[in-house]
Amino acid sequence: MSDTSKTVKSDSTTTAKVTEGQVEQQDTVAPADDPTAAPVSVTDPRLLIREEGFKGYLTEFKRKVKGGELGSLPVVIGLIVIWTIFQLQNDLFLSADNLSDISYFLSATGMLAIGLVFVLLLGEIDLSVGSVSGLASTLFAVLAVNHGMNSWLALLLAILTGLAIGALHGWFFARIGVPAFVVTLAGFLGWNGVMLWLLGDSGTINIPSDEGPVRLLGKSSFFMDQAIIGAYILAGLAVVLSLVGNINEQRRRRAAGVPFRPTSEIALRVGALALVSFAAAAVLNDASGVSNALVIFLAALVIVDFVLRRTTYGRQVFAVGGGIEAARRAGINVPMIRITVFAISGGFAAIGGMFFAGQTASATLSAGGGNVLMLAIAAAVIGGTSLFGGRGSVWSALLGMLVIQSITTGLNLLNMNTSIQYMITGAVLLGAVVIDSVSRRSQKAAGRA
């Protein structure tokens, strides 16, 4: 410890040493088998890791892998492997234009995946998101095109409809006791029927590309109107927000007298984010810039991540997913959490439907159909959200969609049949679930589940 260290006595059994770079929490406890024995000092292991520097972090990494705490490591490794294979097969895969296409087309299904993350955190499933997304885009087209309603008002009503549908599913599940699988399967069929009824005999409603939301989400719409500085502004904003968030967390934990990240670790994390962010900005600028769809998708990820990790509501969602009875005894309104989670899923499904409408400038019979539902579920699971509830992150929607969209785009470049795409995506999904299952088993064996 440095000369600037100071010792603060908080009570007769605990000593906390506070220095500029760390907080060392030492608790003295008497052995359980001999209350009269001399107290034994117990030091938070995270502090020992940081004191050992790189070696300590390497040891902690090995411990987490052995204990099944893999995080996003498997999907990151898988993404690197996928990109390497496709680049070797076609050198256009990592071109700026192709990466720009990947970043644009992942946003629509990614929005559905964000909502599904909430449901999966409860250990449940929502099979209706594809139909709800198609119904939302159809409702928007009917109101804005057929009835001449203001397009932004029509957008608001479409999203509110998605929220209401999700809340209805949640009410049947939470209050009536209908299994989520059954009620959302009924929604999948029923809302698809409503969409077909609204579309009528034509089966398609073309939306003018200059309609506000459709124009905003079109492939030719970019942040700051294709200005090169726009991408770098976004990258800089991401770095600043990360730096401010980490420093504020360090300050709060230091004030509370609990372990916190040293400034050197924060600098390393923010530096890595800056490298990735500005590299991505440079690549996208070599194409056409950052699409508005991607900007909105990333903004949604940041906001929802804050809600899940930094608010009481987010902690309650994780608590209910971790154990319903324990959550009830903790005073959490479990039915309310369930209803709001399904409402959030329906709302994001509606937003995703608008993204699909922006891509095609139309509402069609195929909206929200095909493999959209399966890809949205696969994205959340492949990205690292557990099917068993209680563990996951909204960033899994981004990681999973990067994997799925990379496979789709890569196979298209190689002129491979769609059937191959389905088989490969299915194999990746199975691998993700296997990893999740093995991870949970390892955590139980290590006593960390």
Side-chain angles (χ1 to χ4, degrees), residues 297-360:
F297 176 55
L298 294 177
L301 286 173
V302 172
I303 294 171
V304 174
D305 179 65
F306 176 83
V307 170
L308 277 178
R309 295 195 305 115
R310 300 295 184 186
T311 66
T312 301
Y313 175 78
R315 289 189 288 270
Q316 289 177 344
V317 171
F318 278 102
V320 173
I324 295 175
E325 188 58 34
R328 284 198 183 100
R329 295 185 179 185
I332 297 174
N333 188 339
V334 174
M336 184 276 292
I337 294 297
R338 285 174 161 176
I339 292 173
T340 55
V341 160
F342 277 90
I344 290 171
S345 179
F348 273 103
I351 296 173
M354 291 307 307
F355 275 60
F356 285 120
Q359 291 177 2
T360 61

Side-chain angles (χ1 to χ4, degrees), residues 16-361:
K17 293 182 179 179
V18 186
T19 67
E20 181 181 358
Q22 65 183 14
V23 172
E24 181 178 332
Q25 185 72 39
Q26 294 180 326
D27 295 325
T28 55
V29 296
D33 58 346
D34 186 4
T36 62
V40 178
S41 178
V42 181
T43 303
D44 192 315
R46 290 171 294 183
L47 300 175
L48 297 177
I49 292 168
R50 288 166 183 167
E51 287 178 354
E52 294 177 2
F54 177 77
K55 180 181 178 182
Y57 283 103
L58 182 61
T59 301
E60 176 69 358
F61 173 75
K62 292 179 179 178
R63 182 195 66 77
K64 286 185 175 181
V65 172
K66 185 177 180 180
E69 300 177 61
L70 301 178
S72 58
L73 178 63
V75 68
V76 171
I77 294 176
L79 190 61
I80 293 174
V81 171
I82 290 170
W83 283 13
T84 301
I85 292 175
F86 281 126
Q87 179 64 17
L88 292 175
Q89 296 296 317
N90 190 320
D91 57 7
L92 294 178
F93 181 79
L94 292 180
S95 65
D97 288 335
N98 192 60
L99 292 178
S100 178
D101 286 344
I102 291 175
S103 69
Y104 173 72
F105 286 108
L106 64 80
S107 58
T109 309
M111 279 295 185
L112 274 66
I114 292 177
L116 282 168
V117 167
F118 279 83
V119 178
L120 292 175
L121 286 175
L122 297 187
E124 302 297 339
I125 194 68
D126 186 351
L127 300 179
S128 68
V129 292
S131 294
V132 174
S133 69
L135 175 60
S137 63
T138 300
L139 181 61
F140 170 82
V142 169
L143 294 175
V145 178
N146 292 358
H147 297 283
M149 181 181 290
N150 178 273
S151 59
W152 293 104
L153 179 57
L155 171 65
L156 177 61
L157 292 176
I159 295 175
L160 289 177
T161 300
L163 288 168
I165 290 174
L168 180 63
H169 294 162
W171 182 82
F172 276 106
F173 170 53
R175 296 296 186 183
I176 307 300
V178 182
F181 177 89
V182 176
V183 69
T184 57
L185 178 60
F188 166 77
L189 297 171
W191 303 122
N192 187 62
V194 175
M195 179 191 72
L196 298 179
W197 175 70
L198 288 175
L199 285 173
D201 296 334
S202 64
T204 300
I205 300 177
N206 293 319
I207 307 172
S209 58
D210 59 350
E211 287 286 349
V214 174
R215 181 175 181 273
L216 177 69
L217 298 172
K219 190 178 180 182
S220 59
S221 298
F222 299 91
F223 182 67
M224 294 188 67
D225 197 22
Q226 292 183 284
I228 292 179
I229 192 175
Y232 293 116
I233 288 176
L234 290 173
L237 182 61
V239 173
V240 170
L241 289 176
S242 176
L243 179 62
V244 171
N246 276 280
I247 291 177
N248 284 339
E249 181 181 11
Q250 181 195 60
R251 177 181 53 80
R252 288 195 304 268
R253 295 180 69 85
R254 176 185 290 171
V258 296
F260 58 86
R261 289 195 180 103
T263 304
S264 58
E265 181 180 342
I266 292 176
L268 181 62
R269 286 170 174 265
V270 175
L273 175 63
L275 180 63
V276 173
S277 300
F278 282 98
V283 170
L284 293 177
N285 277 335
D286 283 343
S288 301
V290 184
S291 66
N292 288 328
L294 178 62
V295 173
I296 296 172
F297 176 55
L298 294 177
L301 286 173
V302 172
I303 294 171
V304 174
D305 179 65
F306 176 83
V307 170
L308 277 178
R309 295 195 305 115
R310 300 295 184 186
T311 66
T312 301
Y313 175 78
R315 289 189 288 270
Q316 289 177 344
V317 171
F318 278 102
V320 173
I324 295 175
E325 188 58 34
R328 284 198 183 100
R329 295 185 179 185
I332 297 174
N333 188 339
V334 174
M336 184 276 292
I337 294 297
R338 285 174 161 176
I339 292 173
T340 55
V341 160
F342 277 90
I344 290 171
S345 179
F348 273 103
I351 296 173
M354 291 307 307
F355 275 60
F356 285 120
Q359 291 177 2
T360 61

